[in-house]
Amino acid sequence: MTATIDIAIIGAGPAGLAAARQAARHGASVLILDDNALPGGQYYRQAASPALRQIARDVFDESERAAPLLEALRDARVRYLPEATVFALFPDGVLAYVRNGQTESVTPRSVIVATGATERPVPFPGWTLPGVIGAGAAQNLMKSQRVVPGCCILVAGNGPLALLAAANLVRLGASVVEVLEAAQSRSPWRHISGLVREPAILLRGIGYRTTLLRHGVPFRDGHVVVEALGRDRVEAARVAPINADGVIDHNRARVLTVDTVVASFGLVPAVEITRALGCEHRYDAGKGGWTPLRGPDLQTTKDGVYAAGECSGAAGVEKALLEGELAGAAVALRLGYDAAEASVTMRRVQARLARLERFRAAIEALYVPPSSFSALLTDDTIVCRCEEVTCAEAQRRLDDGATELNSLKAVTRMSMGRCQGLNCLPTLARLVAERTGRPLADIELPRPRPPMRPVSLASIVAEPGAGDVESR
Amino acid sequence: MSNSSLRLDGDRGRRVDITVDGMPCSAFEGETIAGALFAAGRAHSRHTPIRDAVRGYYCGMGVCWECALVVDGRPNVRACMTLVQTGMRIETQAGFGPPMAP
């Protein structure tokens, strides 16, 4: 059940698709694996039926905008496997995935990891109540379902994605009560030299603010949601301003009647695969956390393993597309295809990426939150959703001397549940750093081990059916 | 905006009838279970094994497993990743859900 191909790409989002298109263009054979039913990732998430795609097309035209990228999937050199969950990439280069309830594997000559990013978990009291959803979750309801999440919505968090989700909700006619941005208002003029590098993206951002203004939706800088209230669903949210010194001012808290809280605190790069492989990573708060170290060709510290897009630092779709293109060209060059052409592509894309990085740095500076979100935690706040561990329990274990993530994990089972730590590790790392006085960059994350995604034991032991010749 | 209009206006195509905890519920082809539940004003999927706390759709992209529920007797089906199909029986999941059939 092992086939050899030039490049396996993990993830069919903007970076993965751009990489596939570029690599195939240079002559390489490509296999794209993605756990979703449709290609496009989160950014180009499409509705599953033609009828749904026709609804609200003035706001969401993902299918049309993704069309040139999706062309790549029609290339004879590209094989695309949807609903394929990659659960292991072994050091000997064998990549294992589950599809249709069965395990299959390939041994590609190179791998491009384009796994994207996930919502940054920021626990606050009540954040596990149904009706508290991430910005990505809100976007997906809108994009793929043409449904808005509630009747009365609070959008709160940190970073441009909260603003984007709020603007989309408003454009679709949803009632957004307020939009809260934890960062204090800063003058954009100090960062103007970076911002003007990407006028189109800048204009888009201004457009989101204008949409809120036009619809009379209050946008408050230096405010945060401090509690979601309700029994079986959000019924209200307590919000509070953050003082100039970074302290949440609970005396000035207000309660808003809402049935939905869209909580958006940015993204965390999905680096389980590169970490499990032992690629070197570095912590960079501005990029969303740990990201793989890469050379100018986007190769990680493991030979033949490349990382492209949000999994190497969350910075938006433009960067993901460019990095995909760069990685696709770099791998093709490495494998000996079309060398002159690939080098030209790489140089062009590298110059463009440098400009984008200056823009990203300016945005990062504008959205620096005033203080640690740990101030939102109360004793009863759940920090690990899967294993239902509260902040008080985690703190007690820290008191008992479990001041490394691995020991904390061993005594509480935190990060061992179905999400495999995606919803708790950033918080736990923060708690350990604050307790020990060490910088976050010094906190060692537990090494992910296969299976990195929940797959049934039955599917791991099942042999591919006799009819499944294409994967042999 | 009332609950009945959480689905955006427009022709949604073929109707798909499902049941949710025994109650009939209308959905449309191409909707996920999560989409159909949210459109019906329902955000929860399950009760947790340890604290019996109510949870639901949170990440919307198959990562957090908070929206896991029981579909046609099978536990741990993610509402956000699963399209509705005619006759689907969807149930709130209690704890780890019913044991899987062999």
Side-chain angles (χ1 to χ4, degrees):
Chain A
M1 66 188 208
T2 303
T4 304
I5 36 136
D6 285 334
I7 309 169
I9 299 177
I10 308 172
L17 289 172
R21 178 168 66 178
Q22 198 60 35
R25 194 175 277 169
H26 292 303
S29 65
V30 177
L31 172 69
I32 312 185
L33 301 154
D34 188 274
D35 58 357
N36 291 284
L38 293 171
Q42 306 309 326
Y43 186 83
Y44 293 120
R45 186 170 274 259
Q46 313 172 55
S49 86
L52 292 182
R53 284 198 282 273
Q54 294 304 314
I55 296 171
R57 267 181 67 183
D58 52 328
V59 180
F60 290 118
D61 54 357
E62 270 58 42
S63 308
E64 286 103 287
R65 283 194 296 137
L69 266 185
L70 297 177
E71 278 294 310
L73 302 179
R74 279 199 269 274
D75 192 304
R77 280 174 291 247
V78 176
R79 227 178 94 212
Y80 159 62
L81 294 182
E83 297 180 284
T85 303
V86 173
F87 67 91
L89 175 54
F90 297 103
D92 60 359
V94 175
L95 191 155
Y97 57 95
V98 167
R99 188 160 181 257
N100 298 329
Q102 290 171 336
T103 297
E104 295 173 22
S105 64
V106 288
T107 309
R109 297 171 71 194
S110 294
V111 174
I112 299 175
V113 180
T115 43
T118 55
E119 204 83 45
R120 167 171 300 281
V122 171
F124 56 90
W127 78 305
T128 55
L129 261 181
V132 178
I133 63 176
Q139 292 275 64
N140 283 349
L141 277 179
M142 293 187 273
K143 285 183 191 176
S144 75
Q145 306 296 302
R146 306 303 208 235
V147 163
V148 292
C151 303
C152 214
I153 305 167
L154 168 70
V155 180
N158 178 223
L161 290 180
L163 179 59
L164 167 65
N168 280 337
L169 285 164
V170 167
R171 286 181 71 192
L172 294 177
S175 165
V176 176
V177 179
E178 289 189 17
V179 181
L180 309 181
E181 167 53 56
Q184 305 288 351
S185 176
R186 290 183 175 81
S187 166
W189 297 109
R190 273 189 55 197
H191 306 285
I192 198 71
S193 67
L195 294 174
V196 295
R197 302 279 150 174
E198 295 291 341
I201 309 178
L202 185 61
L203 277 176
R204 236 162 46 209
I206 293 170
Y208 304 146
R209 283 295 285 269
T210 314
T211 300
L212 297 185
L213 262 176
R214 232 186 15 245
H215 288 82
V217 178
F219 182 97
R220 302 187 203 284
D221 293 300
H223 278 68
V224 70
V225 56
V226 294
E227 185 172 14
L229 304 150
R231 274 175 55 86
D232 291 340
R233 178 177 183 140
V234 176
E235 292 161 27
R238 196 190 309 277
V239 305
I242 303 172
N243 290 333
D245 57 2
V247 177
I248 297 169
D249 190 346
H250 289 277
N251 292 327
R252 288 195 289 147
R254 293 172 297 131
V255 173
L256 304 173
T257 302
V258 292
D259 65 359
T260 304
V261 175
V262 176
S264 165
F265 291 86
L267 301 175
V268 181
V271 293
E272 293 71 41
I273 287 174
T274 46
R275 286 192 41 237
L277 265 182
C279 304
E280 273 183 60
H281 287 67
R282 187 165 289 167
Y283 185 85
D284 181 341
K287 290 182 174 165
W290 292 92
T291 58
L293 283 180
R294 300 175 303 167
D297 59 352
L298 307 187
Q299 188 167 208
T300 67
T301 53
K302 288 281 174 194
D303 192 45
V305 178
Y306 295 70
E310 301 281 271
C311 68
S312 66
V317 68
E318 287 80 5
K319 172 192 172 261
L321 291 168
L322 288 166
E323 287 200 351
E325 199 178 342
L326 176 54
V331 177
L333 182 64
R334 167 200 165 85
L335 297 177
Y337 293 99
D338 204 5
E341 188 87 16
S343 307
V344 171
T345 304
M346 287 174 65
R347 275 197 302 276
R348 174 176 53 78
V349 175
Q350 280 160 340
R352 179 83 176 76
L353 275 168
R355 225 167 71 200
L356 205 57
E357 171 56 21
R358 292 199 54 187
F359 178 80
R360 189 203 61 78
I363 292 289
E364 180 194 331
L366 283 176
Y367 281 103
V368 173
S371 64
S372 158
F373 290 114
S374 296
L376 292 171
L377 293 165
T378 62
D379 282 354
D380 295 337
T381 308
I382 296 281
V383 289
C384 169
R385 285 171 170 261
C386 299
E387 301 296 329
E388 304 180 65
V389 182
T390 63
C391 179
E393 281 176 61
Q395 296 287 8
R396 199 173 62 240
R397 297 300 188 168
L398 287 166
D399 289 342
D400 291 347
T403 52
E404 296 292 338
L405 275 180
N406 265 322
S407 48
L408 201 54
K409 169 182 165 180
V411 293
T412 61
R413 288 195 49 84
M414 284 192 286
S415 87
M416 294 166 74
R418 288 187 290 198
C419 86
Q420 286 293 289
L422 292 174
N423 272 317
C424 64
L425 281 176
T427 310
L428 302 182
R430 187 150 53 87
L431 291 179
V432 169
E434 285 164 8
R435 174 61 65 101
T436 57
R438 285 147 61 199
L440 261 173
D442 289 356
I443 308 300
E444 199 184 333
L445 298 183
R447 172 82 81 89
R449 291 191 184 87
M452 282 164 296
R453 289 282 189 274
V455 288
S456 75
L457 278 176
S459 63
I460 291 185
V461 296
E463 283 289 322
D468 190 13
V469 285
E470 60 168 352
S471 67
R472 306 235 157 170
Chain B
M1 189 180 281
S2 73
N3 257 355
S4 58
S5 61
L6 294 179
R7 282 192 175 92
L8 301 174
D9 291 339
D11 176 9
R12 301 184 79 87
R14 198 172 70 85
R15 221 178 82 170
V16 173
D17 291 315
I18 57 175
T19 64
V20 179
D21 288 331
M23 302 291 286
C25 180
S26 274
F28 293 89
E29 191 174 42
E31 289 183 353
T32 59
I33 295 173
L37 293 182
F38 259 82
R42 180 189 145 125
H44 67 280
S45 289
R46 66 185 187 106
H47 293 264
T48 59
I50 302 172
R51 296 171 190 268
D52 193 29
V54 61
R55 299 274 178 88
Y57 179 85
Y58 168 68
C59 81
M61 52 188 83
V63 171
C64 76
W65 289 79
E66 291 285 52
C67 66
L69 32 66
V70 182
V71 175
D72 294 334
R74 232 181 101 221
N76 301 318
V77 177
R78 286 170 295 178
C80 70
M81 299 288 277
T82 311
L83 295 181
V84 292
Q85 280 169 27
T86 301
M88 229 178 207
R89 284 181 296 116
I90 294 157
E91 293 164 286
T92 305
Q93 179 162 328
F96 297 111
M100 291 267 278

